[in-house]
């Protein structure tokens, strides 16, 4: 039995466009090949500045509406100047913002009105790894915890299903939970 | 043969402090257990705001010198408002800034003066994955390329060795190239 349901939820995600893009790009898969980019320039000490401006997709070079700049640094407890968030905190921001965008998109697709979505994210790290003090300790996170507090016009079960589906389609969740090849070259 | 070499390089990294911390934390490993944190709040559509302010380390709660806020969003080609960098671009910024901080730190430790360090970073992604159009396509990056242009008072070989050692001790390089567990809870 198929029913046509009026979806009155408005979370600000244009799901019709995304579903249309899914169909269009399935027929023309070259357009789905994106390259995301950033540039980074050392300032002083562990402080660097990154710029996000252009990317490639839909078969062409694309520009963001504006240029996004980010200072990164190490904190004072590492005897650094703390001129920006640490690199690992940028990863946490990427993960949380990816999952939240997914929650909003899935909720829109399911006709669920969101009222508020808040997340706290924590990543545990034993810095004996990055300090080179213990070869048994990894450099990265031992584990990451994300907790969502969501107020939506939906049951607890429906809200949990939103978050589960968001994880299933999240680019950053995949990058963190699965291995990705990184090729680093010098003066290439 | 051991020689004492005067290290005149000044890249702004307090290597003596870091080496001292390595010794001190090796003797008191509880202090090396850090937790990095961020909060995230949905704004509208795929737009969210993240805040980085506090972390735990050296056995106590710590605060950054200032609060760092980040807007994330999807771009206009996804029918979104492009109010910030995309979540995956935050990951690229994290990787580049981590490797660059490492290059500066290793150069300082090796007495190599850096003149300029610039990186471009690109991550390839087939968005048929996140669109749910093709279950064979992963959501995350197919691969990431980082290219460094480094001007330093050193040979090409020494410069390449800096970058190699930076990868070896990079937290974000590890997070991206190796799997990390992410536990997501709701209203927990």
């Amino acid at each position: 039995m198929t029913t046509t349901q009026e979806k009155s939820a408005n979370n600000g995600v244009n799901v019709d466009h995304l579903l249309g893009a899914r169909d269009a790009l399935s027929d023309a898969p070259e357009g789905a090949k994106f390259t995301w980019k950033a540039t980074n320039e050392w300032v002083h000490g562990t402080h660097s500045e990154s710029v996000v401006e252009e990317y490639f997709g839909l078969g062409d070079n694309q520009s963001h509406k504006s240029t996004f700049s980010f200072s990164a640094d190490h904190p004072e407890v590492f005897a650094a100047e703390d001129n920006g968030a640490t690199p690992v905190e940028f990863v946490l921001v990427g993960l949380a913002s990816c999952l939240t965008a997914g929650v909003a998109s899935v909720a829109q697709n399911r006709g669920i009105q969101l009222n508020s979505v808040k997340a706290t994210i924590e990543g545990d790290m034993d810095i004996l790894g990055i300090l080179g003090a213990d070869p048994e300790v990894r450099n990265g996170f031992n584990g990451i915890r994300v907790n969502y507090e969501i107020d939506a016009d939906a049951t607890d079960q429906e809200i949990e299903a939103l978050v589960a589906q968001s994880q299933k389609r999240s680019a950053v969740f995949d990058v963190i939970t699965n291995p990705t090849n990184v090729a680093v070259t010098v003066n290439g």
Side-chain angles (χ1 to χ4, degrees), chain A:
Chain A
M1 191 179 78
T2 305
T3 58
T4 304
Q5 194 186 346
E6 187 68 33
K7 289 180 177 172
S8 58
N10 182 7
N11 300 315
V13 180
N14 189 336
V15 166
D16 289 341
H17 176 94
L18 293 176
L19 295 177
R22 182 166 75 181
D23 291 342
L25 293 172
S26 295
D27 292 338
E30 279 302 310
K33 292 181 176 163
F34 274 60
T35 300
W36 303 101
K37 304 178 186 183
T39 59
N40 176 270
E41 189 164 355
W42 175 61
V43 179
H44 181 75
T46 52
H47 177 198
S48 69
E49 293 283 343
S50 295
V51 173
V52 169
E53 188 170 19
E54 298 192 329
Y55 58 98
F56 180 87
L58 305 182
D60 211 346
N61 292 315
Q62 309 283 350
S63 290
H64 283 288
K65 266 194 336 193
S66 46
T67 300
F68 306 115
S69 299
F70 304 100
S71 295
D73 201 354
H74 286 179
E76 290 181 312
V77 300
F78 290 4
E81 293 179 358
D82 201 13
N83 289 304
T86 63
V88 293
E89 288 164 332
F90 278 96
V91 175
L92 297 181
V93 167
L95 176 58
S97 58
C98 197
L99 290 172
T100 295
V103 166
S105 301
V106 176
Q108 184 68 45
N109 194 39
R110 296 182 179 182
I112 293 172
Q113 180 63 49
L114 298 174
N115 300 313
S116 72
V117 179
K118 295 180 186 180
T120 57
I121 181 163
E122 299 187 338
D124 296 327
M125 178 180 294
D126 185 337
I127 67 165
L128 292 182
I130 55 174
L131 286 171
D134 185 346
E136 300 297 312
V137 174
R138 70 177 291 185
N139 297 316
F141 293 118
N142 293 317
I144 296 173
R145 295 174 298 282
V146 188
N147 183 59
Y148 272 94
E149 291 184 35
I150 297 178
D151 177 10
D153 298 344
T155 65
D156 288 352
Q157 203 171 19
E158 286 170 328
I159 291 172
E160 285 183 12
L162 290 181
V163 175
Q165 180 62 22
S166 173
Q167 283 177 73
K168 196 176 164 190
R169 290 267 73 84
S170 165
V172 178
F173 185 85
D174 178 19
V175 167
I176 293 175
T177 55
N178 295 300
T180 300
N181 186 60
V182 178
V184 184
T185 53
V186 183
N187 297 329

